[in-house]
Each structure stands twice: as C-alpha cells, then as structure tokens.
Amino acid sequence: MRHVLRDSFVFAATLAATLVPALVHAEPIRLGTGSKGGDFHVLGNALAADFEARGGSVQLAVESTKGSCENIKRLLEGSLDIALVQYDVAAEAYRASQMEPPKAGELEQFGGWMCKISPQLARQAELRLVAAVSDSAVHLLVRRPVRIDTIEQIGAEPIYIGKDGSGSFETARVILGAGGRSTEQLNLFSGSADEALQAMGRGQLLAMLRTTGRGHADVGGVLDSGLAALNPLPEDVLNRLIDGYPYYRVCPIEPRHYPGRLEYSLPTVCVSAVLLSAVPRAQAEDARLRATGDAIVGTMLDSLERVARDPANHALGLELLYRDFAEKEPIPLHPMAARR
C-alpha cells in the first residue's frame, strides 16, 4: 500500500545509532523501506542517489521489504541499520523490550505484541526514533448501501484488511479486536488491494480497512464509483484503542479530504510511519561508536533536506515531525533528532 509521506529530516536521524556498526567496517548503510514502487522506496532511492552524488565514503543500500513486520524484526536482529516502520508496530516492540528477562529456570513469556515480536528478540537492540514521516488514517470502506455501526456486525462475508506482515494489517487486526472480533473469526480476502476493489464492485466483498493518507486517490476513486462509502469507526472502538494502544490518536476524515464525495466529518484513528534506528545492546555503551553514528545522522539530515527541496520529490510530501504525532510516544527520540 502506498503512503503519503510527510517528513524530511526523518531519514537522517534514523541512521544515527544504528549506522555505526556498518560505518566502522565501511559497509553501506542498510535501509529497509517497503515494496518496490511505493513512496517510501522512492524516498530511499532519492536519498541513495544524493549520497552518491556527494561522493562521500558512506553509501546507502536501499532494500525493498514486505512492510513494517519484516522491518522491525530485521532491525532488532541487526540485518537492517535503519527502517521505516508504522509507529504502533514500533512502539509495541519497544514495550516488549522493557519486559524483565525470565529468571533462571523460568520460560520466556511470549506475549501478544504486534508482528509476533517476542520480548527476547525485542531486547536484542535499542530502538531510537528519528522522526515521524507520514500520517495515515484508518479508512473503513463499506459496500453500499450497507452501513457498519459495530464491528460485531461483520459476519461471514469477506473483508479486506491488507497483506499479512504489513502495518495496515496489524492495525486492522487491533481495531477488529477492540470491536470484539479476532481475525480467526472472520472471512479475510487474501488478494491484493486492487483485487479487493474489483471484488467489492462485483458485490463479493463487504468492507475494506485501509490505513492510508487522507485524500488518497484510490479511496477517492472508490467513493466516486459509488461502490462503497466511508463509515466512521464506532466510538467504543475508538475509546478502547486509545486506552490500550495510545500510539494512535483520534482524528477526523473531513469533507475537504475528499471534496464532493464526503458530506460529514468521520471520526477514526491516525497512525504515523516513522524512521527508526537500532543499536545492538552489546554495542550500546560504546562511546566511540555512538559519536560516529551521531556524525552520520547529521549528514543524513542534510541529505534529507536536499531531497525534500528537490521539486522532483514534492509528490512525496516530505515534512519532518519529531513529536505530537500520537497520544503517547514511548520510543525515545534520537539525540541528533532532538538537537535539530
């Protein structure tokens, strides 16, 4: 799924701590983005081109991935240096890392963290937030003339919530759970987003839960077609989400986001995509490595500014955001990002 990006310096700070091990060995900095052709992969390629144009010794290696779940796991494992991750997924991993290790003879409690992250894996690295880079809203599209007022109304008809492993899928899973339904109880459509839209046009799909930028062209096209309408998220679901997952914030989808297609403001939740760095715990106290990483992050921030100013990248909507993008932001801000 494509996102509307909004943060520039993001990329820079993200490199900070995590870049260090790669830099010491003069290896390229490994950046996890998303699917090829998506906005975040385009951003990664633009940054890599800027690095190369400047002729420095540090190179950026852009790696396409399946989304937030793969990115957070590879950050924690150390096979990525920086990555783009949906903030709810990232914050859940950070919370898992704060759990006390089991005592001798005790078994590790797996827990119910997003993307099936175990506390053991989460404790392998120290996550730091570079910046939020995009702001997406949950869109509940329902086949007309049906209206969904409660999650319990969703029965045996197929619904689409994204690809397993994506941040959108994880967010939808949490929303459904807040409404009293697990994904195991539902008939999930397994095709792509485009195939889901076609199925809705044939009357074979009841609803779609999509986490995407407000004003997204695909959503506008569905509304124009008359196949589906946007429904608000139920108030009880919103309250449970903020209580249990304060990495979201309540936000509206407003008529101005879809001019002529929406008459009233609809309450939903928004979640940001962020750039993260990760330092292996074994290296977290190495002052030399941290100093090297900080210097690289500053260089990355400069590169981001150049990429953001380039008219060729205006469609990405780059705009840096360090704070105030969620009800609570548990992941510490990287020191270089804080100085900026």
Side-chain angles (χ1 to χ4, degrees):
M1 178 179 294
R2 292 171 65 88
H3 294 266
V4 178
L5 299 182
R6 287 183 189 172
D7 280 329
S8 58
F9 307 142
V10 163
F11 225 50
T14 220
L15 271 179
T18 191
L19 314 183
V20 176
L23 294 176
V24 170
H25 298 92
E27 297 173 355
I29 304 307
R30 300 161 299 179
L31 166 65
T33 56
S35 59
K36 288 186 177 180
D39 284 348
F40 292 124
H41 198 250
V42 172
L43 172 59
N45 287 335
L47 286 166
D50 184 74
F51 266 60
E52 185 175 0
R54 285 155 52 199
S57 59
V58 179
Q59 293 182 326
L60 193 62
V62 178
E63 298 192 22
S64 61
T65 68
K66 295 179 181 179
S68 290
C69 287
E70 178 182 341
N71 285 351
I72 193 67
K73 289 175 181 176
R74 291 184 60 188
L75 269 180
L76 296 170
E77 293 167 348
S79 62
L80 286 176
D81 297 310
I82 58 175
L84 180 69
V85 182
Q86 202 161 280
Y87 194 65
D88 49 353
V89 171
E92 284 275 289
Y94 179 80
R95 283 186 61 190
S97 75
Q98 304 303 296
M99 293 185 66
E100 290 292 332
K103 296 178 182 179
E106 293 181 348
L107 294 176
E108 179 79 82
Q109 297 297 313
F110 186 79
W113 312 107
M114 287 184 173
C115 298
K116 300 178 181 178
I117 296 294
S118 69
Q120 182 181 18
L121 174 59
R123 284 193 292 266
Q124 290 184 17
E126 180 184 275
L127 295 176
R128 288 295 178 263
L129 171 71
V130 175
V133 300
S134 72
D135 189 37
S136 296
V138 173
H139 290 64
L140 176 56
L141 282 159
V142 182
R143 186 182 71 234
R144 297 183 68 190
V146 180
R147 178 181 173 87
I148 293 177
D149 295 310
T150 65
I151 299 298
E152 289 89 342
Q153 284 180 253
I154 301 175
E157 288 193 75
I159 66 169
Y160 176 78
I161 65 172
K163 287 288 187 182
D164 193 357
S166 68
S168 185
F169 181 93
E170 291 295 312
T171 299
R173 191 168 62 84
V174 168
I175 289 171
L176 293 168
R181 304 299 299 274
S182 69
T183 52
E184 290 77 13
Q185 296 173 311
L186 299 170
N187 183 3
L188 300 184
F189 184 85
S190 60
S192 67
D194 288 341
E195 290 169 341
L197 289 173
Q198 295 169 10
M200 183 172 283
R202 296 191 297 268
Q204 298 171 344
L205 192 73
L206 173 65
M208 299 178 69
L209 269 170
R210 296 191 64 176
T211 304
T212 189
R214 288 173 287 184
H216 196 285
D218 285 354
V219 176
V222 174
L223 298 179
D224 283 344
S225 72
L227 295 174
L230 279 170
N231 283 196
L233 286 186
E235 184 176 358
D236 63 328
V237 170
L238 293 174
N239 291 335
R240 289 174 195 147
L241 285 174
I242 297 304
D243 287 343
Y245 297 83
Y247 333 120
Y248 305 112
R249 72 179 192 282
V250 176
C251 65
I253 299 175
E254 299 176 342
R256 64 182 175 84
H257 294 128
Y258 299 101
R261 306 153 178 156
L262 193 64
E263 296 184 8
Y264 305 102
S265 178
L266 301 177
T268 187
V269 290
C270 283
V271 60
S272 292
V274 299
L275 274 170
L276 292 178
S277 70
V279 183
R281 293 284 182 187
Q283 300 170 344
E285 302 304 321
D286 190 316
R288 181 178 63 88
L289 292 180
R290 283 196 176 277
T292 303
D294 287 354
I296 293 300
V297 172
T299 303
M300 280 295 297
L301 290 170
D302 294 338
S303 182
L304 268 175
E305 291 174 346
R306 279 191 292 272
V307 169
R309 287 196 299 266
D310 187 343
N313 300 317
H314 283 178
L316 297 177
L318 295 175
E319 179 186 351
L320 179 61
L321 194 63
Y322 293 119
R323 297 184 176 90
D324 300 325
F325 55 84
E327 294 290 330
K328 291 185 179 180
E329 295 146 19
I331 303 177
L333 189 63
H334 190 282
M336 286 301 293
R339 293 186 192 116
R340 287 284 175 131

